[in-house]
Amino acid sequence: MYKMKRYLGVVFTLYLVCCVATQECPKYHYEEQILSKVVRLEHRLEMMEEKGNKEVKVCSHCPDGWIKYKGSCYLFVENKLSFDAAQANCQCLHGHLVHIENENENAFLRNHLRTLKDSLMWIGLTDSETEGVFKWIDDSSTVSFTDWSPKQPDNSGNKEDCVEFYPDLKWNDRNCEASLRSICENKLKLTLQS
């Protein structure tokens, strides 16, 4: 803020010197206009600083039926759909099939799946572009954290390109046309708050 005020003061002074030296402007009228502009600019700077000093906080609630964990909301969808249809359904709900970033998020999902009768659920991971190169469907990033069931992924019958939570609550590759329940994720929106 101090540097900006100093800069505006220098600009104002240079303008007055040029104006007086060339005798092209009535001094009083232009000084008044410039002073008014400087005051407005200072006010704008103060407002910008206030906004800059506000903390960015995450909205604290999820839509009805969704479960909050860290910076996301999760929906465990009952309808059994193919992988592509499950992703389209999540998009209609303003989300995407879950993108599991780390062990903690995976443990949270596994703990919730233990409470459900059917734990077979699509997650947003696929190797449909290149066999063996698993990418998250929401941002096409390559998987870094994994939690595969023993001997998985195996691409059984050369037809398994999509990933599910398996009954052992680990990951398994499966035919993308299988009808399964799914987990949608929706990132909480950021809002400015004092």
Side-chain angles (χ1 to χ4, degrees), residues 4-48:
M4 185 57 90
K5 284 182 180 178
R6 197 174 83 192
Y7 174 75
L8 290 172
V10 170
V11 169
F12 178 70
T13 304
L14 288 173
Y15 181 80
L16 287 178
V17 168
C18 291
C19 187
V20 170
T22 60
Q23 300 288 324
E24 293 179 6
C25 58
K27 186 177 176 186
Y28 178 77
H29 178 69
Y30 281 101
E31 283 179 2
E32 189 175 281
Q33 285 183 342
I34 291 173
L35 187 57
S36 174
K37 287 181 182 180
V38 168
V39 169
R40 283 193 305 249
L41 286 171
E42 283 181 343
H43 180 69
R44 284 185 188 168
L45 282 172
E46 287 172 4
M47 291 182 67
M48 288 172 60

Side-chain angles (χ1 to χ4, degrees), residues 82-136:
S82 69
F83 183 85
D84 289 338
Q87 171 63 3
N89 183 56
C90 289
Q91 288 174 327
C92 286
L93 299 168
H94 307 289
H96 51 80
L97 282 172
V98 67
H99 177 148
I100 304 171
E101 297 180 18
N102 55 51
E103 187 175 344
N104 291 336
E105 184 178 17
N106 193 61
F108 160 76
L109 295 169
R110 288 176 59 171
N111 286 336
H112 187 75
L113 288 172
R114 283 188 181 96
T115 68
L116 305 175
K117 292 179 184 176
D118 184 2
S119 62
L120 293 173
M121 292 204 174
W122 290 125
I123 64 174
L125 190 60
T126 179
D127 70 343
S128 57
E129 285 182 16
T130 305
E131 183 57 40
V133 179
F134 286 90
K135 294 183 178 180
W136 294 107

Side-chain angles (χ1 to χ4, degrees), residues 14 32 46 66 74-75 148 171:
L14 288 173
E32 189 175 281
E46 287 172 4
W66 294 67
Y74 301 87
L75 181 66
W148 295 108
W171 302 0

Side-chain angles (χ1 to χ4, degrees), residues 150-163:
K151 300 183 182 178
Q152 296 299 328
D154 65 357
N155 193 30
S156 180
N158 290 325
K159 295 182 180 179
E160 295 185 335
D161 293 323
C162 297
V163 180

